[in-house]
């Protein structure tokens, strides 16, 4: 087998803190194996463009980027190549064009940084098109089961904790209930971690049903005990008590989470007379300067991904388990979804602190 020489790298799906740290680590490690690293623009879109949109990344191009938010390569979280939306409204299969892009570039391997959705698509492309891929997990939602941490999660939590600290000061000044709505799609990991670190009195996540009566009682009890404020964090996918997700459809027809914080705030004020204010953190959680942990994880994942390629170990994802880097088959990684463990240590900790986390079954 000839040694892998030309290696591509792309970021796919929603951006987050730590992506540039991975890219930098890949380029730096590649020197040890005489590999050339080609940064592909805008995820699979770059492979579909003609000429293919990619640039040779040398050590100077990645100098200092580990502290930048976002991704220097750009990314997309739509445009599935197998069902690609065309301007005329039709949907076509453009997978072959992306596969050709890989071969036009003459790549020996491709490093894909993505969450479960992107990894499933890239794996299908790889199998169909004889492409060698190695995956690096990233998602602020942290819902990939095979790794304890994905790139971006810790940064998102850090941003949410900063927000809670600020909200707490103003809550105390004005004697209010402050509600912070955070991202996480269908998983409550950001809400649980930030809620504990930010000292929230109530944490609501999609994995645990809750009672609005109990939420109101808890807030009233705090007030009766002489506390003039409370803070509450709610994950965007928490449903209303009647089981409805709170979503809206924008003018492009995209259905997005958003509004459960406002819904709960209105209900709490109506039922208790307490003044509430709502902050929806949104994409601030994604665009931040990466935390120290995400830079460390990015560095470790980047180095490990290049090492895998040097050993011809393809179709695998690097992962962080028990303070070590390991690698697992991508098929296994995308099959294991990780929701918050209702019986796990973090929920136990929150309950032990006296925080209301819902009605644990
Ligand atoms: O999956 C990551 C995530 O940030 C979710 O937490 C959030 O619901 C979603 O992406 C937002 O996506 P978009 O960037 O398309 O608004």
């Amino acid at each position: 087998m000839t040694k892998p020489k030309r290696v591509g790298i792309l970021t796919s799906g929603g951006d987050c803190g730590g992506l540039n740290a991975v890219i930098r680590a890949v380029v730096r490690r590649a020197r040890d194996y005489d590999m050339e690293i080609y940064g592909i623009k805008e995820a699979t879109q770059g492979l579909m463009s003609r000429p293919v949109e990619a640039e040779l990344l040398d050590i100077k191009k990645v100098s200092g980027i580990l502290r930048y938010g976002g991704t220097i390569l750009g990314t997309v979280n739509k445009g599935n190549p197998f069902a690609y939306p065309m301007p005329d409204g039709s949907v076509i299969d453009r997978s072959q064009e992306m596969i050709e892009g890989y071969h036009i570039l003459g790549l020996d391997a491709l490093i894909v940084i993505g969450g479960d959705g992107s990894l499933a698509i890239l794996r299908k492309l790889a199998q169909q098109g004889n492409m060698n891929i190695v995956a690096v997990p990233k998602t602020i939602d942290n819902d990939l089961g095979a790794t304890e941490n994905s790139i971006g999660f810790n940064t998102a939590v850090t941003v949410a904790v900063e927000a809670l600290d600020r909200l707490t000061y103003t809550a105390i000044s004005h004697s209010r209930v402050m509600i912070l709505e955070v991202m996480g799609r269908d998983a409550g990991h950001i809400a649980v971690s930030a809620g504990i670190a930010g000292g929230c009195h109530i944490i609501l996540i999609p994995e645990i049903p809750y009672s609005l009566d109990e939420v109101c009682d808890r807030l009233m009890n705090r007030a009766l005990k002489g506390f003039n404020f409370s803070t509450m964090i709610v994950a965007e996918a928490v449903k209303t008590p009647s089981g409805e997700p709170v979503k809206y459809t924008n003018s492009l027809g995209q259905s997005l989470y958003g509004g459960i914080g406002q819904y709960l705030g209105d209900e709490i004020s109506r039922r208790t007379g307490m003044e509430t204010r709502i902050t929806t953190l949104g994409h601030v959680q994604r665009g931040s300067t990466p935390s120290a942990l995400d830079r460390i994880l990015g560095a470790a994942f980047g180095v490990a991904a290049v090492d895998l390629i040097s050993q011809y170990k393809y179709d695998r994802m690097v992962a962080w388990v028990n303070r070590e880097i390991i690698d697992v088959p991508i098929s296994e990684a995308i099959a294991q979804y990780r929701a918050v463990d209702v019986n796990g240590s973090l929920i136990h900790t929150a309950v032990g602190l006296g925080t209301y986390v819902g009605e644990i079954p």
Side-chain angles (χ1 to χ4, degrees):
M1 250 191 279
T2 54
K3 279 191 181 169
K5 217 56 210 125
R6 290 167 71 91
V7 175
I9 183 167
L10 60 80
T11 46
S12 179
D15 69 341
C16 60
L19 296 174
N20 289 322
V22 181
I23 297 166
R24 170 179 176 268
V26 163
V27 172
R28 292 185 75 87
R29 183 57 160 172
R31 295 175 303 178
D32 296 337
Y33 302 108
D34 290 325
M35 292 175 191
E36 286 175 341
I37 302 295
Y38 289 85
I40 293 156
K41 300 293 169 66
E42 316 253 317
T44 45
Q45 303 287 320
L47 288 176
M48 206 168 66
S49 304
R50 297 294 177 269
V52 173
E53 278 195 76
E55 70 168 321
L56 182 61
L57 296 177
D58 61 23
I59 206 87
K60 279 209 180 114
K61 289 222 169 86
V62 298
S63 171
I65 66 168
L66 89 168
R67 58 184 58 80
Y68 299 165
T71 161
I72 61 162
L73 298 176
T75 186
V76 288
N77 63 356
K78 52 187 185 300
N80 177 351
F82 296 96
Y84 195 87
M86 299 300 284
D88 66 0
S90 63
V91 169
I92 60 169
D93 182 348
R94 299 189 68 178
S95 56
Q96 209 45 43
E97 292 168 60
M98 299 193 186
I99 291 166
E100 273 166 23
Y102 172 96
H103 294 293
I104 289 169
L105 268 184
L107 297 180
D108 299 308
L110 175 64
I111 295 173
V112 300
I113 312 174
D116 57 349
S118 302
L119 298 189
I121 289 171
L122 264 307
R123 181 162 193 266
K124 196 167 159 196
L125 276 180
Q127 285 182 322
Q128 184 177 310
N130 198 22
M131 297 158 56
N132 297 320
I133 63 167
V134 164
V136 173
K138 71 91 215 163
T139 163
I140 66 164
D141 305 343
N142 210 27
D143 54 3
L144 276 164
T147 182
E148 284 163 15
N149 273 80
S150 291
I151 298 288
F153 171 63
N154 185 260
T155 300
V157 170
T158 305
V159 171
V161 173
E162 267 175 36
L164 285 168
D165 287 349
R166 293 172 192 198
L167 289 172
T168 302
Y169 292 132
T170 168
I172 293 168
S173 307
H174 285 269
S175 302
R176 284 173 172 160
V177 175
M178 286 292 181
I179 301 177
L180 180 68
E181 180 180 316
V182 291
M183 282 185 166
R185 198 106 53 181
D186 301 312
H189 297 289
I190 297 175
V192 172
S193 291
I196 292 172
C200 286
H201 308 103
I202 297 177
I203 299 174
L204 298 183
I205 58 172
E207 291 88 341
I208 306 180
Y210 65 98
S211 149
L212 200 44
D213 287 341
E214 185 63 25
V215 168
C216 293
D217 283 354
R218 294 279 186 131
L219 294 172
M220 292 293 279
N221 278 338
R222 262 183 66 77
L224 286 172
K225 283 183 191 146
F227 295 102
N228 77 328
F229 79 101
S230 292
T231 58
M232 172 167 162
I233 191 165
V234 55
E236 61 182 356
V238 166
K239 297 187 167 108
T240 63
S242 57
E244 296 298 317
V246 184
K247 289 187 141 184
Y248 65 97
T249 303
N250 67 13
S251 54
L252 299 177
Q254 297 166 323
S255 171
L256 305 167
Y257 278 121
I260 184 63
Q262 190 64 54
Y263 171 88
L264 292 169
D266 289 345
E267 279 299 308
I268 291 165
S269 292
R270 193 175 62 77
R271 292 176 182 219
T272 67
M274 296 172 111
E275 209 181 359
T276 57
R277 288 291 186 271
I278 292 84
T279 301
T280 303
L281 211 44
H283 292 78
V284 172
Q285 294 155 96
R286 294 237 304 257
S288 170
T289 297
S291 68
L293 179 58
D294 274 329
R295 296 182 201 193
I296 295 165
L297 214 51
F301 281 164
V303 167
V306 174
D307 289 346
L308 282 181
I309 291 171
S310 76
Q311 297 156 29
Y312 313 100
K313 283 176 83 179
Y314 302 124
D315 200 19
R316 301 189 72 80
M317 186 188 85
V318 294
W320 182 247
V321 176
N322 292 332
R323 296 170 149 227
E324 292 293 340
I325 296 286
I326 61 160
D327 55 272
V328 296
I330 296 177
S331 57
E332 214 176 88
I334 54 185
Q336 286 176 41
Y337 178 76
R338 187 159 61 113
V340 170
D341 180 359
V342 173
N343 301 306
S345 298
L346 286 186
I347 293 299
H348 178 76
T349 301
V351 172
L353 291 168
T355 307
Y356 179 65
V357 295
E359 304 296 313
I360 299 175

